[in-house]
Amino acid sequence: MKRYDALLPLIVLAGLVLAVGLYDPTFLSVSNFLEVTADTVTLFLMASGVTLVIMIGGIDLSVQAVASMTSCILAVYLPHLGFFAIPAAVLGGIIAGFLGGYVSTKLRIPSFIATLAVSGVVLSAGYWFSETRSVNIPGDLSQQYLFWAVGDSFGVPNEIWVGVVFLLILSLLLGLTPFGRLVRGIGAQERAVIASGIDVDRIKIAAYTLSGTMAGVAGVVMAARLGSGSPTLANEFLLPAIACIVVGGTAITGGVGSVWRTFVGALIVQVVRIGMTFMGVSVFAQQIVFGVILVAAVAVTMDRTKVLVIK
């Protein structure tokens, strides 16, 4: 990708911030920037794992159901398991991600079908864990076990610290390990990677598993912030998550992208959402805008040399 293409999302973000700031000057305050970034973290966490899947040329449509399910697991089992309810909830995401990757790679089923099927299973699991209702998290348990995801540290919301930690981990994973190079290689030229003797299925399953893991983390953070778990908690998050990945510059055809770009894309989507809220645009109409943004971003970033026939 050309240098100016890599900078384009940052330029768009700066322009949007300036536009919203001119509409409402209070938006440009430091405290508001911190609040907006904190609100962006759950969307970023969910999208960061999907970024890996898109970079290998796949798609994961199960993440919003996974996030909702993990919020239910956390809320239901936190009073019984204490701290261990957190890894148990994330484990649910890991299993869901692994299943999506395994079904797609081993059964040779297109990823959107495989992950859509897993989404249905996970959605039902969320209803089963929560008994089809929203489950509140007691305030004392939240303060005792979920303090790392709520409140402030050194004047910065803890959600931001969580986002920074996973941003660094995933960026190092993609930038400094053989796994990251293989993810890009599979997305760019999968046949060449296969010809070199690499177990491509193993890398793909790992990418889907990480996607489920990050969706699980997003569900835990979301439940901690809202003080409850629900089988519909992350509804309406899938389209914005995919939009922020593509808007950030990750090619939908795979091979090009980074978690940093997804973070910038998530900020863009969040600022657009805030701008629409200021203008009185309803939540339902916002989905239309995100759909238009997604189509436009794909049209700009898609490498059509990889797709000779559009079906």
Side-chain angles (χ1 to χ4, degrees):
M1 182 173 287
K2 298 178 181 178
R3 185 175 181 83
Y4 65 82
D5 288 337
L7 293 176
L8 184 59
L10 288 172
I11 296 172
V12 171
L13 177 61
L16 288 171
V17 169
L18 180 60
V20 177
L22 291 174
Y23 187 88
D24 184 355
T26 60
F27 181 76
L28 299 177
S29 65
V30 174
S31 61
N32 190 71
F33 279 148
L34 290 175
E35 183 179 349
V36 169
T37 305
D39 290 340
T40 307
V41 166
T42 50
L43 176 62
F44 162 70
L45 290 174
M46 186 181 299
S48 63
V50 186
T51 302
L52 304 179
V53 176
I54 289 180
M55 286 179 66
I56 63 172
I59 191 68
D60 188 351
L61 301 181
S62 67
V63 287
Q64 72 175 15
V66 171
S68 297
M69 179 192 69
T70 56
S71 75
C72 294
I73 296 175
L74 178 72
V76 169
Y77 290 104
L78 193 63
H80 308 288
L81 300 179
F83 174 81
F84 293 102
I86 299 172
V90 176
L91 178 61
I94 293 173
I95 294 172
F98 175 83
L99 286 176
Y102 187 88
V103 170
S104 176
T105 56
K106 298 301 184 182
L107 300 183
R108 296 293 185 260
I109 295 176
S111 57
F112 78 95
I113 293 294
T115 55
L116 190 62
V118 169
S119 176
V121 173
V122 169
L123 179 63
S124 297
Y127 279 112
W128 182 79
F129 281 117
S130 65
E131 297 181 349
T132 69
R133 60 187 175 85
S134 178
V135 182
N136 291 327
I137 299 176
D140 58 333
L141 293 180
S142 180
Q143 293 178 0
Q144 184 176 359
Y145 299 114
L146 302 175
F147 60 90
W148 52 272
V150 293
D152 298 341
S153 295
F154 308 104
V156 177
N158 287 340
E159 300 97 314
I160 295 180
W161 293 116
V162 173
V164 168
V165 167
F166 283 103
L167 174 62
L168 292 175
I169 290 173
L170 292 176
S171 295
L172 291 174
L173 182 66
L174 280 176
L176 300 179
T177 67
F179 172 78
R181 292 190 290 273
L182 289 172
V183 165
R184 289 188 169 86
I186 292 171
Q189 291 290 341
E190 182 173 343
R191 291 184 178 180
V193 177
I194 294 174
S196 65
I198 301 297
D199 186 350
V200 169
D201 285 355
R202 180 170 56 87
I203 302 300
K204 286 184 174 182
I205 291 174
Y208 283 98
T209 302
L210 282 172
S211 179
T213 302
M214 294 310 303
V217 173
V220 169
V221 173
M222 198 179 302
R225 293 193 68 194
L226 298 178
S228 66
S230 168
T232 60
L233 189 68
N235 278 12
E236 313 303 332
F237 264 72
L238 180 60
L239 184 57
I242 297 176
C244 73
I245 295 169
V246 181
V247 167
T250 295
I252 198 70
T253 48
V256 176
S258 73
V259 180
W260 283 97
R261 292 179 181 177
T262 297
F263 180 67
V264 174
L267 288 173
I268 291 174
V269 167
Q270 186 67 13
V271 173
V272 169
R273 190 197 299 271
I274 291 172
M276 289 190 293
T277 301
F278 283 164
M279 291 185 292
V281 179
S282 71
V283 175
F284 303 105
Q286 288 178 19
Q287 294 295 310
I288 299 174
V289 176
F290 290 135
V292 173
I293 291 174
L294 180 58
V295 171
V298 170
V300 171
T301 62
M302 183 175 178
D303 183 0
R304 289 170 177 78
T305 61
K306 291 184 178 180
V307 185
L308 300 180
V309 178
I310 303 296
K311 296 184 178 181

